[in-house]
Amino acid sequence: MLELLEKQLNEEGKITVSALKVGDYVKYGDKLTAQTYVTKENEEPDTGYETSQTFNTNTTTLWRVINKKANGDVEIVAVNNTLSSDGTTGLYLKSQNGFLNAETILDNLCSKLYSNPAYGTARSINVDDINNLTGFNPETDATNYNKAYTYTSGGPFWDKNTNIFRNATTENPITVDNTYYYYTVNKNIPLYDTLIEETKTYTGDYSETNYPMFYWLVSRSMHAYEDSSYFNVRHVSRGIVGNWNLFDSNVYGGASKYEGGCAVRPIVTLNSNVQLDTSDATKNGSEQSKAWILK
């Protein structure tokens, strides 16, 4: 492996993360300073959930390469979910505000807990990350994807032009694009064991070693029909890329709100100039005990 890496030296003769391959394990937690993120506080957007939640940096989890970018940057994803500080619950989102603010909250949480400016920036995993691994193309594989429905009464519906929920009227209609889809993930994709696979020993305690891999995707979706719409945040659950409904409404003026709790999964983009420590020849990224060490 080192012979291969030696062929990928940078201009200064150093081996950098650009030499890694998808699936490699990487040790990144030792480059992090433990941080705390609290929902609904410090001017953070409202989750819609009644109470605030606290999340702390997981400095012990390992990471794996999920994507290599054309500019040499490398994206790594956490092997384990991030849970709230009680160790047993995920991030709760609820109703209209949960839908409206989900993407900002998830990205802010991951950025606060897992960014290190000297190494890279963090964000939440999104549906495109999973689709890129699976090869799923919603434009060609999803039924009724992107079909538009215009409502002239009822609601409230989400108005994408103003990013608010409001009632529809004949004079001021609202058009909603159907962006809903779900699919079962093929077991042959890269990182299936890290991102998709579920254990069979789950008993309900997230803090166990073998908890199921279900987590939010920082991607919203709408499931639209002629007379109603469902407003969701995408997630990965039980081997499926799916959606969690947080709010729905119809042309007759009926509406319902829901809450959902899922874990958080961060992705860090390592800068292309981050160097690898190759002093230990056994560290080749092939398994967790051999995770690459960053200088």
Side-chain angles (χ1 to χ4, degrees):
M1 184 66 179
L2 288 179
E3 292 180 0
L4 175 62
L5 292 176
E6 287 171 357
K7 296 178 182 178
Q8 302 185 53
L9 301 178
N10 65 9
E11 294 179 356
E12 299 177 345
K14 307 289 179 60
I15 300 173
T16 68
V17 294
S18 60
L20 300 180
K21 63 182 185 300
V22 172
D24 278 356
Y25 287 90
V26 179
K27 186 178 180 182
Y28 174 67
D30 61 331
K31 308 304 180 187
L32 295 170
T33 301
Q35 301 284 346
T36 297
Y37 178 94
V38 183
T39 64
K40 301 170 71 72
E41 295 185 7
N42 303 317
E43 299 184 353
E44 287 296 321
D46 184 18
T47 61
Y49 192 59
E50 288 76 8
T51 59
S52 63
Q53 293 180 274
T54 301
F55 293 80
N56 300 312
T57 308
N58 182 346
T59 59
T60 62
T61 185
L62 288 175
W63 300 70
R64 295 185 75 183
V65 177
I66 188 174
N67 183 43
K68 297 182 65 174
K69 306 181 79 170
N71 65 356
D73 291 350
V74 172
E75 294 181 316
I76 57 175
V77 62
V79 169
N80 294 316
N81 289 325
T82 292
L83 301 167
S84 67
S85 58
D86 65 11
T88 62
T89 55
L91 170 69
Y92 277 97
L93 300 172
K94 184 176 181 179
S95 193
Q96 296 173 345
N97 282 343
F99 170 83
L100 291 173
N101 300 324
E103 296 177 352
T104 300
I105 293 165
L106 286 162
D107 275 338
N108 285 358
L109 189 158
C110 291
S111 178
K112 175 72 178 292
L113 300 187
Y114 295 105
S115 291
N116 179 336
Y119 288 84
T121 56
R123 61 176 175 84
S124 172
I125 193 170
N126 61 47
V127 74
D128 291 330
D129 296 315
I130 302 296
N131 290 349
N132 287 339
L133 287 176
T134 64
F136 180 85
N137 183 352
E139 297 288 347
T140 58
D141 296 336
T143 303
N144 291 327
Y145 180 72
N146 272 341
K147 185 174 182 179
Y149 295 89
T150 299
Y151 303 113
T152 58
S153 65
F157 298 108
W158 178 58
D159 185 340
K160 61 185 177 183
N161 295 320
T162 59
N163 196 37
I164 63 173
F165 280 87
R166 65 174 178 83
N167 290 333
T169 65
T170 303
E171 297 76 17
N172 196 8
I174 301 173
T175 298
V176 173
D177 295 327
N178 182 83
T179 57
Y180 176 90
Y181 60 80
Y182 76 95
Y183 63 93
T184 300
V185 179
N186 188 307
K187 294 183 178 181
N188 296 322
I189 69 162
L191 279 72
Y192 183 89
D193 55 339
T194 291
L195 293 176
I196 308 297
E197 186 173 44
E198 278 202 292
T199 70
K200 304 301 181 184
T201 58
Y202 175 61
T203 60
D205 183 356
Y206 285 92
S207 64
E208 292 181 88
T209 300
N210 295 320
Y211 58 78
M213 301 295 183
F214 69 100
Y215 48 87
W216 292 117
L217 298 171
V218 61
S219 308
R220 296 178 298 179
S221 71
M222 278 67 69
H223 199 179
Y225 299 94
E226 292 182 354
D227 61 355
S228 58
S229 278
Y230 298 79
F231 302 93
N232 322 296
V233 177
R234 300 187 194 274
H235 67 350
V236 172
S237 173
R238 296 175 176 83
I240 293 175
V241 175
N243 308 258
W244 196 308
N245 176 221
L246 296 180
F247 185 78
D248 62 56
S249 57
N250 59 58
V251 298
Y252 311 106
S256 300
K257 57 184 179 181
Y258 310 94
E259 65 186 45
C262 289
V264 179
R265 189 67 69 95
I267 283 181
V268 169
T269 301
L270 294 175
N271 302 324
S272 60
N273 60 358
V274 172
Q275 298 176 28
L276 297 175
D277 182 350
T278 58
S279 59
D280 184 346
T282 67
K283 305 299 185 182
N284 59 19
S286 61
E287 56 188 75
Q288 294 194 22
S289 63
K290 299 179 179 180
W292 288 108
I293 298 173
L294 305 178
K295 280 192 174 181

